[in-house]
Amino acid sequence: MAWRVRALERVIVTAVISEKETEAEAYASMEELKSLVTTAGGTVMATTVQNRPTPDVSTYVGKGKADEIEALVDTWEADVVVVNGELSPRQGQSLSARTSARVIDRTQLILDIFADRAQTKEGRIQVELAQLTYLLPRLRGQGHALSRLGGGIGTRGPGETKLETDRRHIQRRMDELKKDLRRIRKHRTTLRKQKEKQKDPQFTLVGYTNAGKTTLLNALTNEEALAEDLLFATLDPLTRALRLPSGLGVRVSDTVGFIRGLPTTLIAAFRATLEEVAGADVLIHVIDATSPEAEVEKQTVMELLDELGAGEIPVITVMNKAESLDRDMVPAVSAARPRLYISAREDKNIDDLQTVMEEELIKQMSFYSISIPASEGRRLYAIRKSTIVREESFDEENERYKLQGYAFDHHPQIAANKENDKKEDHS
């Protein structure tokens, strides 16, 4: 869209500090906004804030502040002004009329980053749908922004204005995207059911953006997924296989990072992807232990998990980036137990994390004790791979393996063995 922030563009960031937030919260949010600008490829030249009870209904900031922003644009020859909030159509138009720079808001900036980073077909569809949802009520004065949408706008009926045609074109495109998403969702549901048949437990990494989830995925699975020191480095979900210390095979999925003020249009568009979180057996909540906003970031993640219907799933809290902590520095985060400190980058305490992962699964499993004939090697292998084996011995006299451990209820191999034991007891 026309609001894209391109590499080396000069950016002015501005915000209104309202009565609803403290100055500390506001400035932390501004620092986050500057990181978003950097992620989008821009360079922050200056920042400006204004204290007022609520944003101005017409220009978001007051007239004097709008004049100051215009002066900063001239001084720094800025290309873009980014507002740390969501502009109404009226506010965006009024502020844009006062400056030669493009004016965008926090939502548009995040959508821009997502558009740049979406790799899969599903990701690109979801981003475009979110962009169009955002654009639709802001069409007036935005006609030039539609050039990226492709053909179809020029075919209008008698008496229709270009704005009405644009609106129809966008609505038609949104309907097409929703249909594509339903088709992709149906396919993913089929794949998920196939995975569920494999009985591999699912761990899902969640956390604030740039907490180190992808780096942790690499450390756990010895893979090399792209991990960057940027916000939203991961957008499309990624799943890897892992074998825990007991031999149990599990799946570990990475997810898009959460952020304060994540646009509602984006949550709606990405709900199909984010709902994958709700299918996890255990969540691994990755927190940046070095962040001064760790508690606020944790709360943001927990609120979004509740919204996605994942608030009751067991959580392992991981305080990451421990290698950067001072010895006496302990973040004030009221995180749930189990909680452990790790360094995904330096592979520290990753073994401890895997042990905790097993312990959390055991809480959802039942104890079993079975014996298997030595001749049933394939079945023995399947049980070792799909359950947590705690003890194993071989009875040479009867040529049978005896195993004790934990498995999910209705595990096919364990259930089959219990039936066989019953038959042998009756015979």
Side-chain angles (χ1 to χ4, degrees):
M1 293 202 176
W3 58 63
R4 287 190 64 79
V5 177
R6 295 173 180 83
L8 304 180
E9 284 191 317
R10 295 166 174 253
V11 180
I12 306 297
V13 297
T14 185
V16 167
I17 302 178
S18 69
E19 295 175 332
K20 296 179 180 179
E21 59 183 342
T22 65
E23 285 208 6
E25 291 171 339
Y27 280 99
S29 183
M30 278 288 280
E31 287 302 311
E32 192 170 76
L33 183 67
K34 290 194 282 187
S35 295
L36 287 167
V37 170
T38 301
T39 299
T43 302
V44 177
M45 308 307 297
T47 64
T48 178
V49 299
Q50 181 178 42
N51 291 83
R52 55 182 299 137
T54 58
D56 184 271
V57 294
S58 177
T59 54
Y60 191 77
V61 295
K63 184 179 182 299
K65 182 60 66 173
D67 292 339
E68 179 186 332
I69 292 171
E70 185 179 2
L72 286 171
V73 168
D74 292 339
T75 299
W76 293 102
E77 298 180 346
D79 305 290
V80 187
V81 173
V82 182
V83 175
N84 193 27
E86 185 165 318
L87 295 171
S88 69
R90 179 184 177 186
Q91 290 169 333
Q93 292 159 21
S94 299
L95 204 52
S96 294
R98 287 179 164 271
T99 176
S100 58
R102 283 176 289 128
V103 177
I104 68 173
D105 60 21
R106 183 185 179 94
T107 296
Q108 291 170 298
L109 182 62
I110 293 174
L111 288 171
D112 175 52
I113 294 169
F114 271 55
D116 185 55
R117 291 187 170 270
Q119 298 296 319
T120 66
K121 180 180 179 181
E122 180 182 17
R124 291 191 294 270
I125 289 174
Q126 290 175 129
V127 171
E128 185 178 353
L129 181 59
Q131 287 179 317
L132 294 178
T133 302
Y134 183 89
L135 175 64
L136 197 57
R138 294 168 172 81
L139 272 180
R140 192 172 299 280
Q142 295 286 335
H144 63 280
L146 301 177
S147 58
R148 73 176 292 277
L149 298 178
I153 292 178
T155 56
R156 69 189 66 176
E160 289 185 334
T161 64
K162 185 176 187 301
L163 186 63
E164 290 168 341
T165 307
D166 290 345
R167 192 179 301 278
R168 292 187 181 186
H169 172 77
I170 289 177
Q171 191 61 63
R172 186 164 57 247
R173 177 60 178 160
M174 289 172 66
D175 290 341
E176 292 172 356
L177 293 171
K178 289 176 182 177
K179 187 181 297 183
D180 288 342
L181 273 181
R182 284 194 295 270
R183 185 162 52 246
I184 291 173
R185 184 183 299 185
K186 184 177 179 180
H187 177 65
R188 190 180 337 100
T189 300
T190 301
L191 291 178
R192 185 167 61 243
K193 288 180 179 178
Q194 291 175 350
K195 290 177 180 178
E196 287 173 353
K197 288 180 181 179
Q198 298 171 2
K199 299 300 179 183
D200 288 343
Q202 173 72 48
F203 289 87
T204 299
L205 303 172
V206 297
Y208 209 75
T209 183
N210 206 32
K213 296 183 297 299
T214 304
T215 305
L216 178 55
L217 178 71
N218 290 337
L220 281 168
T221 63
N222 295 316
E223 295 281 353
E224 291 299 328
L226 176 64
E228 297 179 277
D229 188 21
L230 291 171
L231 302 183
F232 300 120
T234 299
L235 179 54
D236 296 300
L238 185 64
T239 300
R240 294 284 185 261
L242 168 66
R243 196 173 295 280
L244 294 177
S246 67
L248 175 67
V250 301
R251 290 174 288 125
V252 184
S253 294
D254 195 4
T255 58
V256 61
F258 297 158
I259 194 170
R260 278 171 291 189
L262 192 64
T264 53
T265 53
L266 203 56
I267 294 175
F270 272 79
R271 183 168 293 279
T273 299
L274 292 171
E275 281 175 351
E276 291 288 300
V277 173
D281 294 294
V282 179
L283 300 176
I284 300 177
H285 184 179
V286 185
I287 296 175
D288 179 357
T290 66
S291 171
E293 294 292 305
E295 174 62 27
V296 175
E297 292 167 1
K298 180 216 75 174
Q299 193 59 39
T300 297
V301 172
M302 300 309 294
E303 288 172 0
L304 281 169
L305 288 176
D306 283 338
E307 185 176 339
L308 294 169
E312 300 301 318
I313 298 175
V315 176
I316 299 171
T317 303
V318 170
M319 308 298 292
N320 190 29
K321 306 184 183 181
E323 77 279 2
S324 301
L325 286 178
D326 294 333
R327 184 170 297 178
D328 298 327
M329 178 182 173
V330 178
V333 178
S334 57
R337 298 288 177 181
R339 179 173 81 171
L340 65 161
Y341 286 79
I342 69 161
S343 170
R345 178 173 294 175
E346 297 183 0
D347 282 351
K348 289 184 178 178
N349 295 339
I350 301 301
D351 290 344
D352 292 341
L353 173 57
Q354 292 190 15
T355 299
V356 173
M357 290 166 70
E358 283 195 349
E359 292 171 352
E360 284 303 299
L361 283 180
I362 286 175
K363 293 177 183 178
Q364 304 179 39
M365 294 175 163
S366 299
F367 177 79
Y368 72 82
S369 178
I370 61 174
S371 63
I372 299 175
S375 59
E376 298 184 11
R378 182 175 298 181
R379 188 170 163 217
L380 181 65
Y381 170 80
I383 290 178
R384 287 170 175 163
K385 181 180 179 297
S386 59
T387 75
I388 295 177
V389 178
R390 282 290 181 249
E391 291 186 22
E392 180 179 327
S393 61
F394 183 62
D395 181 352
E396 293 186 5
E397 182 178 348
N398 296 305
E399 295 187 344
R400 298 178 72 92
Y401 284 92
K402 293 184 177 180
L403 294 89
Q404 291 185 335
Y406 297 88
F408 285 108
D409 292 339
H410 311 301
H411 185 287
Q413 300 290 345
I414 303 299
N417 193 87
K418 289 180 179 178
E419 286 298 320
N420 289 336
D421 288 346
K422 287 181 182 179
K423 291 177 182 178
E424 289 178 8
D425 290 340
H426 288 302
S427 61

